[in-house]
Amino acid sequence: MTEITTTYREAVRGAIREAMQKDERVFLMGEDVGRYGGCYAVSMGLLEEFGEDRIRDTPLSESAFTGAGIGAAMGGMRPIVEVMTVNFSLLALDQIMNTAATFRHMSGGQFNVPVVIRMATGAGKQLAAQHSHSLEGWFAHIPGIRVVAPATLEDARGMLWTALEDPDPVLIFENALLYNRQGTLAADAGPVDLDRAAVRREGDQVTLVTYGGSLFKALDAAEALAGDGISAEVIDLRTLRPLDDATIIASVRKTRRAVIVDEGWRSGSLAAEISARIMEQAFWELDAPVCRVCSAEVPIPYPKHLEDAAIPQVPGIVQAARATLGK
Amino acid sequence: MALFKMPSLGADMEAGTLVEWLVGEGETVRRGDIIAVVETQKGAIEIEVFKNGTVSQLLLQPGETVPVGTPMAEIDGGAAGEPAPAAPAPERAARLSAKPAEPERPVATAPPPPRAKAGERVPASPAARRLAAEKGVNLAALKGSGPGGAIVSADVLAAEQPAKLGAAPSRRGLDMDEMRKAIAAAMARSKREIPHYYLQHSIDLEAATTWLAEANAERTPPERLLMAALFVKATALALKQYPEFNGHFVDGRMERSESVHLGVAVAIRGGGLIAPAIHDADTLDVGSLMAALKDVTARMRAGRVRSSELTDPTATFSSLGDRGVEGLWGVIYPPQVALVGFGKVLSRPAVINDQVVPRPQVQVSLSGDHRANDGHRGALLLNAIDKLLQSPEAL
Amino acid sequence: MTTAERPARAVVSRSHILELLTQMVRIRRFEEKCAELYTQEKIRGFLHLYIGEEAVATGVMQALTPEDAVVATYREHGHAIARGIPMTKIMAEMYGKQEGCSQGRGGSMHIFDADTRFYGGNAIVGGGLPLAIGLALADKMQKRSRVTACFFGEGAAAEGEFHESLNLASLWKLPVLFVCENNLYAMGTALDRSEAETDIHKKAEGYRIASRAVDGMNVVEVEGAAREAVAAIHETAQPHFLECRTYRFRPHSMFDPQLYRTKEEVEAARGHGPIKRLLDWGSETGFIHPSDLEAIEIAVAQEVDAAVAFAEAGTWEPVKDLIRDVVAAPAEAWR
């Protein structure tokens, strides 16, 4: 099997292009996706290939164009709505929560909303408080939508098609720091499943549960721990709603210790939800309280050293893992 | 005739206050007419009637606040002027009368119990593990009482106790140390606060023994009656007759009890003493009383007390006859005011018709609280017990 | 239907006028029955009545075909009835019974019907506009000549979505008929206390959308304007905007003491209500005969009674099916 060296960005672009080639109902809509080539250059070149109708630049009207994507999906299209970042999604929250997430239920199953909404997320570029949110945990709170966070190239390449085929709304969160990340990908990489978490590294002393941009920090932490003789298992959630309890619990049953790494703020975070589930389902197997490594309770600050201190980092993950072992 | 009820005007409206009627009795109303003004938390709202008719009676006065759904007026229907629908009102009511099924209440689903596979480690709570480690208890040897059979702290503690008390199974419900402390406190208080006086009496049990033998001849062993049952019944009946011995002395005054809940003293292995109530002992027939005595004794010895049994006794009965003593002078259990004690049934010489003959006899004693009763009445009480035991068939 | 089959003007004939009258009476009596049932706690939650505004839904629906789409608000019972959703299913939905059009899951504010392309029943003011332009966008991209009619109150003109949606519809040339039902009050706030520019249809002009204001109490005028607008949408492939000036005779919802307007104002409006206006005009012109109304009332009363009976006899959805229709195939993890 041939492999190519590529980036996360290119993997996402490849996914969009393939979807649009395979299904003429698919189109991309969002701010600066066309002429500008995409805020993160994801859709660079697609306007020339597919035209203005299908690579559709929108005015700065998050609520209207997200709602339009929802309506177009209900009208038979397969739109990919790109909200530039999760920070601007709050303007579209009403449409996401009160229309996309609720229509199937409110109509008694008569209507479904097969819309895909992609958003960049995460902190780390010194973009300060209003441009550094990680709200995927918030969205994972809402019944009626699926929330996914591709971290690897395979997932960046393969989740989009599966999401487009899903009859219900899917929110795809792409951590902005991953776009440049390089790696190898099978040349014929295709769609992947959505609902399973993946064990990215096997171990038997402590389980590190994470997703998205934090995956690589967790893997680095696992490597560091191995140097210390501590065997850590790393689980990539991949899908934040629904959570793959089975994979998480099987791992915790084996290792008896868990550390959850989540870039959302600690209070009321997705990590809190996972911790509760581990408590409910694996209480008797635990040898230590579940530990969480999350963002500090502060709007993300601008200066580098403070931003770094505010979000999860490898040393913090290593320290948390060691603490569960009483070291 | 239809009832006009306080309407619901909103999800959070629970009641309304009638401000004024806009119609009077005898007036005709048409569908859509505003007939009253009702004050709610949002302000005054005019309410309309949905049927034509004549107001026959106003049931509510201005100023009254009633819950939604309360009848406010009676309206006789059928007045002319309505664009008449084909189906008349009573028919419609009949069709709609079948009330739809109530939605079922949701059932909370319990979390799944942990699966303990053979050969794997035993499910045990963190607290239990810590305790086990501290006390050197082997978890694997324990049976868990927690969810799904998991071992919890109490199981570890119970396993530890054999080393201290020398009794194999843990006794649920009764802690010997605690009980001795409680008895000590109660008896000390009793002697401190209650001015005891004591009376003694001998009772001839010829009639009772004869009757008992006859009654038991017809009974299977499990049903056989003991003399103690007759003693308890006679005591209970006598207490009913002399209520100054039946009740509690509280806050400086005697509160007599209508019912006779006779506390029966039961000794427990390990040195405990407990006197749970047999409720309404005066109303039970001797057979039921016997069964109650057996049940109470068995349960007390197994440690399964009910709290009402400990707080309800209105007087206490104690028998040390099977311990072999002739009589006892009991200490009253506060806040009770009397304790009746029986000794061993012995064959003693008695003088009957100037002859000395052996007769079964028992010594009965009364310990009384002189604040609530006195020797004169006490003597009557004991004599009443005597008299009752002379007609055992009537017990 | 071709353009030729869609007349661009109101049809003025006895049968058509009676049809208009019937629809308005059907809506009126249904709403009155709902009010009665609400006071008896058969209908719960919020209830927003369309009484006084019947001409708008009735008139506009005449201009639409079954292939067109309708997006409405929480005051949508009249629209649902005029669109052709059976009264039985609407009433059962109001009761919360599973025989209702949304299986009882939505209630008064969330009437949906796939058969008639009725997209609710939207309870967020302004929330339906983006949805409507999306439906229109899909039609345009798939080259279908369908119109999406979007109903909303004048209160929505204050929401950002109103402006975003009008702008997008105009920019992308989407086949949307925006119908603003201006009943002068957004719940308890009068229009002139919330809008610097109270001529709503002028705002549409700011987005280069052809717009017009009509007397919303005149069902013939409303129908005429709607037919013209729909024809124009097909011809020019541009959205259109209709401001229908109307008035609601009842409070915003059932629990509203109407502290914000006078009784005299309401009474005066009742004197010029849509049904009365049509009856007056109909008798003057001879289109409506004296016995017509009675016959209509009898038939409508029967239909309403049947709807109530249907709802009363309806059944409650089992609680064990609670987590249903949230997503298509729930994974175990949903629970």
Side-chain angles (χ1 to χ4, degrees):
Chain A
M1 167 175 58
T2 43
E3 281 194 336
I4 54 172
T5 300
T6 185
T7 61
Y8 186 102
R9 167 186 297 105
E10 285 165 323
V12 178
R13 183 184 309 138
I16 298 172
R17 172 186 284 121
E18 183 189 49
M20 291 186 59
Q21 284 166 349
K22 270 160 69 165
D23 187 339
E24 57 185 23
R25 300 173 301 168
V26 177
F27 70 100
L28 177 67
M29 170 164 70
E31 294 162 6
D32 290 320
V33 297
R35 292 265 177 91
Y36 190 96
C39 172
Y40 296 96
V42 170
S43 49
M44 189 74 74
L46 295 181
L47 175 64
E48 290 74 19
E49 191 175 339
F50 295 100
E52 275 188 345
D53 218 40
R54 296 182 71 196
I55 302 293
R56 192 174 274 261
D57 280 324
T58 66
L60 276 63
S61 304
E62 278 77 4
S63 186
F65 72 71
T66 302
I70 293 166
M74 291 174 69
M77 301 297 290
R78 289 287 179 271
I80 303 169
V81 175
E82 180 174 309
V83 177
M84 194 178 277
T85 75
V86 71
N87 304 289
F88 314 146
S89 71
L90 302 177
L91 294 160
L93 189 54
D94 181 69
Q95 287 299 316
I96 294 171
M97 188 177 306
N98 279 323
T99 308
T102 57
F103 253 53
R104 179 186 278 277
H105 181 259
M106 280 196 309
S107 69
Q110 293 180 80
F111 297 116
N112 62 301
V113 183
V115 72
V116 172
I117 304 175
R118 288 178 43 248
M119 308 191 228
T121 182
K125 286 271 176 67
Q126 294 188 252
L127 300 181
Q130 293 177 342
H131 278 65
S132 304
H133 295 315
S134 288
L135 297 177
E136 45 277 15
W138 246 28
F139 284 97
H141 181 62
I142 306 170
I145 58 175
R146 276 181 143 76
V147 176
V148 303
T152 62
L153 296 190
E154 287 79 18
D155 284 347
R157 181 69 176 78
M159 280 188 163
L160 179 65
W161 180 254
T162 317
L164 283 165
E165 292 205 300
D166 197 298
D168 296 302
V170 180
L171 272 52
I172 304 181
F173 286 92
E174 299 161 4
N175 189 293
L177 272 68
L178 293 179
Y179 285 126
N180 285 340
R181 206 176 166 96
Q182 213 173 58
T184 52
L185 186 63
D188 60 350
V192 298
D193 75 349
L194 285 189
D195 285 351
R196 305 267 159 278
V199 178
R200 297 295 184 200
R201 180 185 174 124
E202 285 194 12
D204 57 29
Q205 285 179 279
V206 59
T207 300
L208 306 180
V209 183
T210 188
Y211 67 90
S214 300
L215 172 63
F216 301 97
K217 295 179 186 174
L219 286 169
D220 287 346
E223 189 60 30
L225 287 163
D228 258 349
I230 297 172
S231 164
E233 183 151 288
V234 179
I235 295 184
D236 176 4
L237 289 170
R238 301 178 67 243
T239 297
L240 309 185
R241 183 173 183 106
L243 284 168
D244 179 1
D245 287 5
T247 302
I248 300 169
I249 299 300
S251 175
V252 175
R253 285 224 169 97
K254 182 173 67 165
T255 66
R256 308 192 187 291
R257 294 169 191 84
V259 174
I260 308 168
V261 186
D262 172 7
E263 205 178 301
W265 291 298
R266 190 179 153 80
S267 301
S269 57
L270 184 65
E273 171 63 25
I274 297 170
S275 178
R277 292 192 188 203
I278 292 174
M279 203 269 295
E280 285 161 0
Q281 299 175 53
F283 177 78
W284 309 101
E285 273 82 10
L286 289 174
D287 270 338
V290 174
C291 195
R292 292 180 288 164
V293 181
C294 300
S295 286
E297 308 276 349
V298 62
I300 305 299
Y302 159 68
K304 179 116 182 74
H305 69 295
L306 288 183
E307 182 182 51
D308 285 348
I311 63 178
Q313 302 293 357
V314 174
I317 302 171
V318 170
Q319 190 179 28
R322 293 175 66 86
T324 64
L325 284 152
K327 296 189 197 266
Chain B
M1 191 275 293
L3 286 174
F4 180 79
K5 301 177 182 172
M6 177 65 74
S8 168
L9 294 170
D12 46 352
M13 176 178 169
E14 288 164 6
T17 307
L18 176 64
V19 175
E20 61 171 320
W21 282 112
L22 298 176
V23 293
E25 289 176 3
E27 278 183 46
T28 314
V29 292
R30 292 178 49 86
R31 189 177 85 177
D33 284 351
I34 309 294
I35 66 167
V37 179
V38 165
E39 182 74 38
T40 69
Q41 68 250 36
K42 282 196 177 179
I45 299 187
E46 294 175 336
I47 54 177
E48 68 188 282
V49 63
F50 290 100
K51 306 259 184 299
N52 297 352
T54 309
V55 179
S56 58
Q57 198 187 359
L58 299 175
L59 302 170
L60 224 55
Q61 299 306 315
E64 286 189 66
T65 303
V66 295
V68 165
T70 308
M72 294 172 68
E74 285 177 7
I75 300 183
D76 288 333
E82 184 181 46
E91 234 183 70
R92 184 185 347 157
R95 257 189 284 144
L96 300 180
S97 63
K99 196 174 191 313
E102 279 296 320
E104 305 130 30
R105 299 278 167 265
V107 174
T109 48
R115 274 155 262 162
K117 299 183 189 110
E120 281 202 357
R121 77 183 209 162
V122 176
S125 76
R129 289 183 190 285
R130 180 170 50 80
L131 271 175
E134 275 172 24
K135 296 173 188 298
V137 173
N138 177 14
L139 282 177
L142 296 183
K143 190 171 182 310
S145 65
I151 298 169
V152 293
S153 309
D155 301 323
V156 177
L157 290 172
E160 204 203 356
Q161 273 192 351
K164 275 191 189 163
L165 294 180
S170 70
R171 204 176 291 286
R172 288 217 179 86
L174 289 181
D175 180 328
M176 285 304 128
D177 284 347
E178 287 304 314
M179 177 176 287
R180 277 262 72 93
K181 281 187 203 161
I183 294 171
M187 295 294 96
R189 175 182 155 205
S190 178
K191 280 292 175 174
R192 246 189 345 260
E193 294 174 5
I194 301 180
H196 283 67
Y197 70 91
Y198 305 95
L199 299 181
Q200 182 194 346
H201 182 61
S202 290
I203 301 180
D204 183 301
L205 291 179
E206 180 75 27
T209 355
T210 310
W211 181 86
L212 200 62
E214 283 169 12
N216 279 338
E218 292 157 18
R219 286 169 182 256
T220 62
E223 293 170 351
R224 290 212 177 122
L225 306 169
L226 294 177
M227 187 62 77
L230 301 184
F231 292 162
V232 169
K233 184 67 189 282
T235 304
L237 287 173
L239 287 168
K240 187 79 181 159
Q241 289 175 33
Y242 296 97
E244 59 266 56
F245 295 91
N246 184 55
H248 292 167
F249 194 88
V250 180
D251 291 333
R253 32 185 304 278
M254 169 70 184
E255 284 171 8
R256 296 180 181 189
S257 170
E258 284 291 328
S259 321
V260 179
H261 304 315
L262 194 52
V264 176
V266 177
I268 304 177
R269 280 182 219 108
L273 183 65
I274 197 168
I278 293 182
H279 290 84
D280 298 306
D282 56 316
T283 65
L284 298 175
D285 66 85
V286 184
S288 306
L289 205 48
M290 188 68 219
L293 282 168
K294 279 165 58 172
D295 168 66
V296 140
T297 309
R299 275 194 296 111
M300 292 307 118
R301 291 194 175 138
R304 298 198 315 270
V305 202
R306 290 169 207 144
S307 65
S308 62
E309 291 173 326
L310 299 183
T311 55
D312 287 353
T314 53
T316 300
F317 166 97
S318 183
S319 171
L320 289 174
D322 56 345
R323 293 287 181 270
V325 295
E326 292 183 15
L328 67 106
W329 305 106
V331 180
I332 298 171
Y333 284 63
Q336 296 166 36
V337 296
L339 188 150
V340 175
F342 280 80
K344 188 174 176 179
V345 176
L346 293 167
S347 186
R348 284 260 179 268
V351 180
I352 314 275
N353 300 326
D354 290 334
Q355 297 277 358
V356 177
V357 288
R359 299 279 278 208
Q361 278 185 4
V362 71
Q363 301 288 334
V364 62
S365 66
L366 169 70
S367 306
D369 181 338
H370 218 298
R371 300 170 300 177
N373 47 67
D374 58 51
H376 174 72
R377 301 294 289 174
L380 293 174
L381 176 78
L382 290 182
N383 272 293
I385 294 175
D386 187 339
K387 193 161 167 205
L388 287 161
L389 285 169
Q390 301 314 314
S391 307
E393 65 286 350
L395 284 174
Chain C
M1 236 201 228
T2 65
T3 316
E5 290 157 18
R6 280 201 205 89
R9 279 177 175 53
V11 174
V12 179
S13 70
R14 176 169 147 75
S15 67
H16 189 74
I17 299 299
L18 285 178
E19 164 70 11
L20 294 176
L21 179 62
T22 303
Q23 290 296 4
M24 292 199 290
V25 172
R26 287 179 74 220
I27 297 171
R28 175 69 59 95
R29 299 300 171 226
F30 180 89
E31 294 291 76
E32 286 172 352
K33 178 58 69 176
C34 285
E36 180 181 350
L37 292 168
Y38 190 90
T39 64
Q40 295 165 3
E41 300 185 278
K42 302 277 188 170
I43 298 173
R44 309 283 281 158
F46 285 146
L47 184 70
H48 306 91
L49 299 173
Y50 200 55
I51 295 172
E53 305 188 38
E54 295 90 345
V56 180
T58 303
V60 173
M61 293 304 171
Q62 293 294 325
L64 301 176
T65 68
E67 294 82 36
D68 296 327
V70 175
V71 177
T73 70
Y74 48 82
R75 196 183 299 281
E76 87 281 38
H77 314 151
H79 306 74
I81 290 170
R83 184 60 177 160
I85 302 175
M87 235 189 234
T88 45
K89 287 174 70 171
I90 303 174
M91 187 59 88
E93 185 60 36
M94 312 279 283
Y95 269 60
K97 301 289 178 79
Q98 56 183 344
E99 291 81 4
C101 44
S102 304
Q103 300 226 304
R105 292 275 180 148
S108 161
M109 298 194 287
H110 302 301
I111 308 286
F112 288 87
D113 185 57
D115 288 344
T116 54
R117 296 201 74 213
F118 195 86
Y119 291 87
N122 289 282
I124 306 292
V125 174
L129 279 82
L131 174 66
I133 62 171
L135 289 166
L137 176 64
D139 282 336
K140 178 167 174 144
M141 292 180 85
Q142 291 171 97
K143 300 189 173 24
R144 288 190 295 240
S145 65
R146 307 196 292 199
V147 168
T148 300
C150 183
F151 293 87
F152 51 92
E154 85 291 343
E159 290 279 357
E161 269 92 349
F162 173 88
H163 300 277
E164 292 184 19
S165 302
L166 259 57
N167 182 46
L168 269 179
S170 184
L171 187 69
W172 290 346
K173 299 186 176 8
L174 301 176
V176 182
L177 175 63
F178 292 104
V179 182
C180 177
E181 305 189 72
N182 181 359
N183 63 15
L184 299 176
Y185 292 91
M187 201 155 102
T189 302
L191 179 57
D192 60 13
R193 295 178 62 229
S194 71
E195 285 293 320
E197 170 61 76
T198 55
D199 259 331
I200 311 285
H201 74 286
K202 276 195 187 166
K203 300 173 195 283
E205 286 165 16
Y207 296 102
R208 305 235 176 175
I209 298 179
S211 78
R212 192 182 149 173
V214 296
D215 179 0
M217 292 302 192
N218 183 332
V219 65
V220 174
E221 189 178 324
V222 171
E223 185 187 342
R227 285 186 185 275
E228 265 182 42
V230 168
I233 291 173
H234 285 293
E235 238 181 79
T236 65
Q238 304 262 31
H240 266 59
F241 193 103
L242 264 186
E243 178 191 342
C244 299
R245 294 179 172 164
T246 180
Y247 197 88
R248 70 170 146 83
F249 297 163
R250 294 276 184 151
H252 167 73
S253 69
M254 289 299 288
F255 204 1
D256 172 9
Q258 302 189 87
L259 306 173
Y260 47 84
R261 59 185 188 181
T262 63
K263 280 200 235 176
E264 291 73 26
E265 181 186 297
V266 180
E267 281 314 303
R270 277 185 196 269
H272 301 288
I275 296 177
K276 183 172 188 306
R277 291 272 296 272
L278 187 66
L279 283 171
D280 289 346
W281 179 77
S283 13
E284 271 170 45
T285 53
F287 284 120
I288 301 181
H289 305 157
S291 60
D292 286 333
L293 181 61
E294 194 184 329
I296 290 173
E297 293 278 21
I298 290 174
V300 169
Q302 280 177 347
E303 189 185 358
V304 171
D305 283 351
V308 176
F310 180 83
E312 286 281 345
T315 54
W316 300 111
E317 190 177 354
V319 174
K320 68 171 172 55
D321 294 337
L322 176 64
I323 305 179
R324 198 186 75 162
D325 285 327
V326 180
V327 288
E332 278 310 305
W334 288 128
R335 280 169 241 284

